[in-house]
Amino acid sequence: GDAYMAVVIPEDDTDEEVRRGVTEVLRLAQDFHTISARHALAGEVLAMRAGVHVGPLVAGVIGLTKFSFDVFGNTVNTASRLESTGQPGTTQVLEVVTRIVGDTFAFHPRGPVHFKGLGEQAVFVAQAHRPGPGPV
């Protein structure tokens, strides 16, 4: 398929662990955007859209004869909707993510976007990682 999902589960549920996980995901997406913009693949630029969200989810194995691992919940649905409404080469988040990573990343407001099941939400686009003191 053309859509992939990554789930980060922090070692513990502290604010610092969540911040570190979200920051790493945003950095990974930013690195992909940067590399793909610089290097065409067979003459074509590969542009990824990413949606990042935080919150609880349910994970488990589904199926009776062919087993598959999957994740479910509003967090997963929100991240998917952020990805699908984004522009190629961007990573979209909601305000809760901007608050979690604080000044570790720069964001610019995209404006309100209507999401099925969520209504209108203020959406932000991740711009650049701002390295701070010490490792993330």
Side-chain angles (χ1 to χ4, degrees):
D2 64 352
Y4 301 92
M5 182 184 312
V7 176
V8 176
I9 301 173
E11 290 183 32
D12 55 54
D13 206 15
T14 64
D15 290 347
E16 181 59 22
E17 282 293 312
V18 172
R19 184 193 67 77
R20 287 171 60 117
V22 172
T23 299
E24 286 303 312
V25 168
L26 289 170
R27 287 175 66 180
L28 178 66
Q30 189 67 42
D31 288 347
F32 186 91
H33 295 318
T34 300
I35 291 167
S36 63
R38 289 183 186 159
H39 304 284
L41 187 63
E44 297 290 326
V45 174
L46 184 62
M48 174 184 81
R49 294 184 315 228
V52 176
H53 195 56
V54 296
L57 55 82
V58 175
V61 177
I62 58 173
L64 296 174
T65 57
K66 183 179 179 187
F67 302 112
S68 177
F69 180 79
D70 207 348
V71 289
F72 310 88
N74 288 335
T75 303
V76 175
N77 294 341
T78 300
S80 175
R81 287 181 174 98
L82 284 162
E83 178 274 327
S84 66
T85 60
Q87 298 298 314
T90 65
T91 301
Q92 294 195 141
V93 302
L94 295 183
E95 186 175 4
V96 64
V97 172
T98 68
R99 288 194 310 262
I100 287 171
V101 297
D103 60 358
T104 309
F105 255 83
F107 296 93
H108 84 265
R110 175 178 170 198
V113 175
H114 183 80
F115 295 101
K116 178 182 173 184
L118 292 174
E120 200 166 273
Q121 301 286 321
V123 174
F124 297 82
V125 177
Q127 291 298 296
H129 178 246
R130 295 178 176 162
V136 171

